[in-house]
Amino acid sequence: MGCECMRKAVTGLLLGSLLLAGGTVLAAEPESAVIGKDMVQKPVADVLPQASLTAKRKGAIVFIPLDTRPVCKDYTVATMQAAGWDIVIPPEEMLSSSDRAGQPDELLEWLEKESAEAAAVVVSADALLYGGLVDSRTHHIDRTVLQSRVERMLSLKKKYNSPGVYVFVTIMRSPKASAAPVEPVYYGQWGAKLFRQGALRDKAELKGLSRKENKELQQLNKEIPRNVEADFYGRRRTNFRTTELLLHGIESGGFNYLLVGRDDTSPLSQAHKEARDMASLVYELPKSKIRFFSGADQLGLALLTQAANRLTYNVPLVYTEFAPGKGGATVPAYEDDPVSISAREHIYASGAFPARKAKNADFILAVNTPYHGKTLEASDAHNTGIADKYTKAFADTVETYLHNGKKVIVADSKYGNGADNALVKELFRRGIAYKVAAYGGWNTSGNSLGFALAQGMESPYFEGDAARDFLQVRYLDDWAYQANARMDVYKNVIWPRYMPNSGFTPEQLAVAEQAVTESIVKTAKPVMGNVVEDYKFILPWRRMFEAQPIKIKK
């Protein structure tokens, strides 16, 4: 036992040293390599578990989030603070919100002042270049302005004597359906046709088109207005070329790490076409310094975790276990890679390594996937809450690992945009819901997997009730709200009153939040108990897409 502990400690120290040295040795490893061993703003403090405020402090990391959505800012900052890090973020008014564009130049100026004193810098390039994620889809910024902002980012390390610089950026999504204000104003009318046009162009390059498809594409080319097409594809070209410039940060050593995320990318789409083009560039660079996979909202926490791991010479080993059935071969909705690839890439991006054997791993990443490999929406009628033999088998696996003393991270990827009702109820029924290191079941598979993985890796450093508080938030958000209350409120309040999905007036917001609270309590209290009443529930972006549970101070 003593020899095994010593072997793990020495291996971790050696791997950590290699990472901090730039990863030149690790870069030579094949892609399939597997290791055998295993000044913060008030809104964040309001949602932070009390125990995390008293944890031993490790140093300061400057962080610029994608925008002010809870998963991007509040939950991410709270996680790292609970693990003992001082997270320095910009003033709220500089960041993109539901009713405010981000301020790239002000953010760059703030970053240049703050970064020299930090142990590391983790920043969203979308925020620094365009203002934020939504801003990246709607801007009309001149390329020369974007180039100057990239140059300021590239010079940060040398000019301002900054420490490790970790950057994340996204490839713009191409959704089947969406509308302003999160897309250009014309997308509500032309979005579906633009998506189909992009999908056919992507397929034409990959497989070729049938005569019927070729005729359809020609018709779309005629039907979509020239000004709409010019704006849509022009912005995409601008963003792609700007991301190309960021790759120089890896070549020059200006960045320690660059994480490129693919935001909502279908297997055949304009976003997938651009992802293929970007992949040919990314794969020429050392994989110890750059990764490229599906997702956007989880990237900040993944890179913060990597920075923390490198600063502490820590290289966790993670073994991935999939649910019965198609398992790792599942290609989740909104993504274009099998979930097995997503899991592996997230492990590397978080500063960890895949373990070949479960017995040698520090963490078990348990990924809940649909048996037949098709990801339905969490609001689908099939999400009944009744555990079948496959769900029970997956829960058995989680419970066995916990019984054997393993730290288990549950990534609930069975459904899109919400949790698996049967799995969550089964975890509570067995009394293991609060024994897992982390849980995630929100939005896309990559969002759930990446966030849960990173939060789980930080969980050993949480003190007091922090771990339980984070799990309560995830169950209340991912399960009670996203998989249940959201559709319930749509059907019984939003649609009957002809209310919009977003952009609520103060009066509409009050009605929606009251309905959301009642529905969450109705769903969660029979399973989670009276703890549900310790929270209030708000819609921070004045829309139904996300809710935020906030613990009531007593």
Side-chain angles (χ1 to χ4, degrees):
M1 183 69 176
C3 292
E4 175 66 11
C5 293
M6 179 62 73
R7 182 179 68 82
K8 289 187 176 185
V10 172
T11 305
L13 180 60
L14 289 173
L15 288 172
S17 300
L18 287 172
L19 284 169
L20 287 177
T24 54
V25 176
L26 294 177
E29 291 294 319
E31 181 62 25
S32 59
V34 181
I35 299 299
K37 171 208 168 265
D38 225 296
M39 316 165 192
V40 175
Q41 303 299 304
K42 276 189 176 181
V44 177
D46 288 343
V47 300
L48 189 64
Q50 284 300 110
S52 67
L53 298 174
T54 61
K56 184 178 180 181
R57 313 322 292 167
K58 297 176 181 177
I61 300 177
V62 168
F63 176 53
I64 296 182
L66 192 55
D67 50 42
T68 62
R69 285 173 298 152
V71 292
C72 297
K73 184 173 76 73
D74 289 356
Y75 297 161
T76 293
V77 172
T79 298
M80 298 308 296
Q81 287 182 324
W85 296 93
D86 294 317
I87 305 300
V88 183
I89 60 174
E92 189 84 1
E93 61 269 17
M94 293 184 187
L95 298 171
S96 175
S97 71
S98 61
D99 54 5
R100 178 184 64 243
Q103 305 297 318
D105 292 322
E106 286 82 351
L107 284 171
L108 279 163
E109 185 176 349
W110 177 88
L111 176 62
E112 289 165 350
K113 290 179 181 178
E114 296 289 341
S115 60
E117 302 299 321
V121 170
V122 178
V123 296
S124 162
D126 290 295
L128 291 171
L129 294 170
Y130 315 110
L133 185 64
V134 172
D135 303 305
S136 74
R137 306 170 188 160
T138 58
H139 73 87
H140 294 91
I141 305 171
D142 189 87
R143 287 183 183 177
T144 57
V145 174
L146 294 172
Q147 182 175 346
S148 69
R149 290 172 180 170
V150 170
E151 290 171 354
R152 290 176 73 178
M153 292 176 64
L154 293 175
S155 67
L156 188 69
K157 194 170 184 179
K158 184 176 180 181
K159 186 175 180 180
Y160 297 96
N161 197 31
S162 298
V165 176
Y166 302 80
V167 179
F168 59 102
V169 68
T170 63
I171 297 290
M172 192 192 305
R173 73 177 185 175
S174 52
K176 293 180 181 179
S178 189
V182 297
E183 304 290 344
V185 291
Y186 52 76
Y187 211 86
Q189 179 179 359
W190 295 104
K193 293 183 182 295
L194 285 166
F195 175 84
R196 182 60 179 164
Q197 182 185 54
L200 289 172
R201 289 176 176 177
D202 189 23
K203 186 178 180 181
E205 291 186 5
L206 287 171
K207 308 174 183 178
L209 300 178
S210 66
R211 291 181 62 183
K212 182 179 179 181
E213 289 171 331
N214 192 54
K215 186 177 180 179
E216 181 186 2
L217 178 57
Q218 291 178 7
Q219 180 60 33
L220 287 169
N221 292 342
K222 293 178 182 178
E223 188 176 348
I224 298 172
R226 292 290 178 87
N227 63 321
V228 168
E229 193 170 337
D231 180 78
F232 181 71
Y233 289 104
R235 183 178 299 104
R236 300 190 74 94
R237 285 192 295 272
T238 294
N239 288 15
F240 187 92
R241 290 171 183 171
T242 304
T243 300
E244 280 187 279
L245 296 177
L246 290 174
L247 300 183
H248 294 303
I250 297 301
E251 296 170 331
S252 67
F255 301 154
N256 289 62
Y257 206 90
L258 178 62
L259 191 50
V260 184
R262 303 196 294 271
D263 184 20
D264 290 3
T265 303
S266 300
L268 287 176
S269 63
Q270 179 63 27
H272 180 257
K273 181 178 182 297
E274 292 167 11
R276 291 189 291 106
D277 294 336
M278 181 59 63
S280 65
L281 302 174
V282 168
Y283 295 154
E284 293 297 318
L285 298 170
K287 291 182 174 59
S288 61
K289 295 186 177 182
I290 188 168
R291 290 282 161 177
F292 181 42
F293 53 75
S294 296
D297 301 344
Q298 78 276 24
L299 302 184
L301 185 57
L303 267 192
L304 281 164
T305 299
Q306 181 188 142
N309 280 332
R310 291 193 180 204
L311 288 167
T312 56
Y313 295 88
N314 184 36
V315 187
L317 299 187
V318 182
Y319 180 80
T320 306
E321 182 88 47
F322 295 98
K326 198 164 184 180
T330 300
V331 178
Y334 312 106
E335 299 185 6
D336 56 0
D337 272 336
V339 69
S340 59
I341 292 178
S342 177
R344 182 192 66 198
E345 294 298 294
H346 277 92
I347 289 168
Y348 282 123
S350 300
F353 273 81
R356 193 180 301 277
K357 297 180 180 180
K359 68 178 182 179
N360 295 328
D362 299 299
F363 296 95
I364 304 296
L365 175 61
V367 185
N368 184 32
T369 49
Y371 181 80
H372 297 293
K374 184 177 181 182
T375 306
L376 302 174
E377 290 295 296
S379 58
D380 190 274
H382 287 85
N383 194 8
T384 62
I386 301 173
D388 59 20
K389 61 182 179 180
Y390 307 118
T391 301
K392 291 178 180 178
F394 181 74
D396 285 342
T397 300
V398 171
E399 191 167 20
T400 299
Y401 278 127
L402 290 170
H403 179 76
N404 292 335
K406 288 296 184 182
K407 299 179 181 68
V408 182
I409 299 165
V410 177
D412 191 354
S413 297
K414 187 172 182 178
Y415 294 96
N417 288 306
D420 177 359
N421 282 319
L423 176 62
V424 172
K425 290 181 179 180
E426 191 69 10
L427 295 177
F428 275 95
R429 186 186 71 79
R430 295 176 181 228
I432 59 175
Y434 294 122
K435 293 181 180 180
V436 298
Y439 169 88
W442 55 281
N443 210 359
T444 69
S445 173
N447 293 157
S448 298
L449 189 155
F451 197 94
L453 175 66
Q455 191 170 70
M457 280 196 276
E458 296 300 333
S459 66
Y461 309 106
F462 298 161
E463 296 182 357
D465 295 329
R468 190 179 184 90
D469 286 347
F470 285 131
L471 285 165
Q472 285 174 356
V473 167
R474 294 267 57 84
Y475 293 131
L476 289 169
D477 189 347
D478 308 359
W479 168 61
Y481 178 68
Q482 293 193 37
N484 294 281
R486 180 164 54 193
M487 184 54 67
D488 178 48
V489 174
Y490 268 131
K491 289 180 177 179
N492 294 298
V493 178
I494 302 298
W495 295 338
R497 295 176 182 233
Y498 299 99
M499 290 170 59
N501 296 333
S502 62
F504 292 144
T505 65
E507 294 77 15
Q508 291 171 334
L509 182 63
V511 169
E513 287 183 342
Q514 178 62 31
V516 164
T517 298
E518 292 173 359
S519 186
I520 289 177
V521 171
K522 177 182 67 177
T523 300
K525 193 170 182 179
V527 177
M528 297 179 65
N530 293 332
V531 67
V532 180
E533 297 175 352
D534 293 340
Y535 288 84
K536 65 177 180 179
F537 303 94
I538 66 170
L539 302 174
W541 270 42
R542 297 188 299 115
R543 63 182 187 179
M544 289 295 293
F545 188 74
E546 66 272 289
Q548 183 175 11
I550 297 179
K551 200 162 193 179
I552 301 169
K553 293 181 178 179
K554 296 181 178 179

